[in-house]
Amino acid sequence: MSENLKKPGRRRAELSGGKYVPLVVAAGLALTGAPAAAAPTKIGPVKGLDVTISKPADRYVVASDWNDLAGATAYRVSLTSGSTVLQSDKVTESDWRATTTLGAGTRVTLKVVPLAGKRPGRPASLNEVLPDLTAPTGTFQVVQATPGSWNVTLQPVELSDDVTPADAIVRTINWGDGTPSQPWGDGTHTYEDDLRAYEPIVTLEDAAGNSTVVRLTVVVGDQIAPTGEFGVSTSGWARWTKVALTETTPCADNFSSADHVTRTVDWGDGSTDTWTGGTAPTHVYAVAGPYSPTVTLADEAGNTNAATMVNTVLVSADTARPTVSLTKPATRRTWVRKWVTLRGKANDAATGVRVVKLRLVEKRGTTWYAYRGTTRRWVRGGATEASALRRTTVAKVRPTAQLRWSYKVNGLRKGRFVVRVQAMDSVKNRSKLRTVGQTLTHS
């Protein structure tokens, strides 16, 4: 081999004549002699980055936008608090929205990194403090020495704010009678001597200037209780009957309309229901016995009166078992087609039969099969009737008004067919389990 081919920086090239000649490659040059390409320049950062923070519900919405950046194919955006990433995304548009449930006063950072393909550019970011945008809340109780009294006191039941302490929430009240709004003071006021309803308005404002109003109702001059008369179902079954309450004489009041009279029924078993109008509630008693429900009426001024109840209710216990039967075919009992539709009767003297339940198995040759009532299909059940029964699922059917039931069996074949049937009433009393077997030899 020639000396030239052994020296550094030289390569050999084969000529058409089969000889080799040296080819010098200069350092830093390609074989073509062109200069190496320069590294691409990073794009960015984005300009015009802006953030708007709002809180329309229970969380902050951080909305951001920026100017489109030439050369950017996408943007990687994130919202962080300290080292915690609250939300991140990759977008192709120049705007983005994130949400957070962090509290007011928390510092967050929104960061935008432009991308040129997969290559990240220079980031841009903004630091913001989540502002206090939540108004305070409060509830108040109207206190009158007697119902309808003209001397009224409003007592705070609850005051709260996410930042401002309760005792620093500013309260302003307008009593709704034409007098000017005034600072809270002691929350007392004396209305004029007349019969009417007023609407005092309490305005609550926190340290950040967020405010809300609480509207109340005060009725003065009404000291007459409402009247009414009610009836109730006379009988029923424990754990099943919905005992109905009926307003036999409509509620009446000298000031409040009937749909503003509050009715509260004490069913006599420790449970109560309250309603103001429309359909009266019903009730299911858990235990048998006589009950005397009472209804208390209250008007808008707080005057109360025990309404007249015209009758009581006697609740009985259904302890009797229902009965069920399976009717065998009158003719050709060994024919499959005669057993495809099972028929029978179910009866209950009290709450009525709710459902008839069936479990079906069949022995075909030496193998037992189980009927899956949920899918209406047969599956292998094993070598014994007991193992097949364990693989069944219940087939259910409701009896008709004539106390009859029927059920169509899919895929029944020749073999030893066994039916287990049981009825259950509306309070889950069960009948005796009936078992009927028949060998089917004909189609």
Side-chain angles (χ1 to χ4, degrees), residues 45-315:
V46 298
K47 302 294 184 181
L49 179 58
D50 186 41
V51 172
T52 303
I53 301 176
S54 61
K55 195 175 184 182
D58 61 343
R59 61 194 61 212
Y60 286 96
V61 177
V62 181
S64 59
D65 61 82
W66 53 91
N67 298 336
D68 288 330
L69 181 63
T73 57
Y75 305 90
R76 187 184 302 126
V77 287
S78 63
L79 182 69
T80 60
S81 176
S83 60
T84 302
V85 178
L86 305 176
Q87 195 171 332
S88 63
D89 203 355
K90 181 180 178 181
V91 299
T92 56
E93 302 295 331
S94 57
D95 59 89
W96 184 61
R97 288 165 62 92
T99 62
T100 177
T101 57
L102 292 176
T106 304
R107 182 177 294 275
V108 296
T109 300
L110 188 130
K111 182 178 179 182
V112 181
V113 179
L115 301 174
K118 294 183 178 180
R119 182 179 178 81
R122 295 185 192 79
S125 62
L126 278 180
N127 295 318
E128 297 285 345
V129 175
L130 297 179
D132 180 6
L133 301 177
T134 304
T137 60
T139 56
F140 295 81
Q141 179 183 10
V142 177
V143 178
Q144 295 166 278
T146 59
S149 172
W150 292 272
N151 297 317
V152 176
T153 300
L154 301 184
Q155 293 182 348
V157 177
E158 181 182 3
L159 289 175
S160 64
D161 185 72
D162 60 338
V163 176
T164 305
D167 58 1
I169 296 174
V170 177
R171 288 169 280 173
T172 306
I173 185 166
N174 185 309
W175 292 99
D177 59 354
T179 57
S181 297
Q182 60 189 58
W184 180 255
D186 59 1
T188 62
H189 187 69
T190 301
Y191 286 98
E192 294 181 359
D193 187 7
D194 59 359
L195 172 60
R196 60 169 293 182
Y198 293 95
E199 188 183 65
I201 298 176
V202 181
T203 301
L204 307 176
E205 184 175 335
D206 64 15
N210 302 301
S211 64
T212 189
V213 297
V214 181
R215 299 180 183 275
L216 304 168
T217 300
V218 176
V219 177
V220 298
D222 178 14
Q223 297 176 334
I224 301 175
T227 59
E229 193 171 274
F230 291 81
V232 70
S233 307
T234 57
S235 62
W237 295 103
R239 299 187 295 132
W240 185 62
T241 303
K242 292 182 179 180
V243 174
L245 190 67
T246 305
E247 193 169 311
T248 56
T249 300
C251 292
D253 185 68
N254 66 315
F255 179 80
S256 299
S257 59
D259 60 346
H260 284 77
V261 173
T262 301
R263 305 146 173 89
T264 300
V265 56
D266 183 336
W267 293 101
D269 61 352
S271 58
T272 61
D273 283 304
T274 299
W275 77 107
T276 55
T279 305
T282 60
H283 184 64
V284 177
Y285 286 95
V287 180
Y291 294 92
S292 299
T294 58
V295 177
T296 301
L297 307 176
D299 62 17
E300 294 170 280
N303 300 296
T304 60
N305 184 32
T308 302
M309 185 65 68
V310 297
N311 61 281
T312 60
V313 57
L314 179 61
V315 178

Side-chain angles (χ1 to χ4, degrees), residues 316-335:
S316 303
D318 178 5
T319 58
R321 281 185 166 190
T323 60
V324 68
S325 65
L326 173 64
T327 303
K328 292 184 176 182
T331 60
R332 299 180 178 179
R333 290 185 179 178
T334 60
W335 290 55

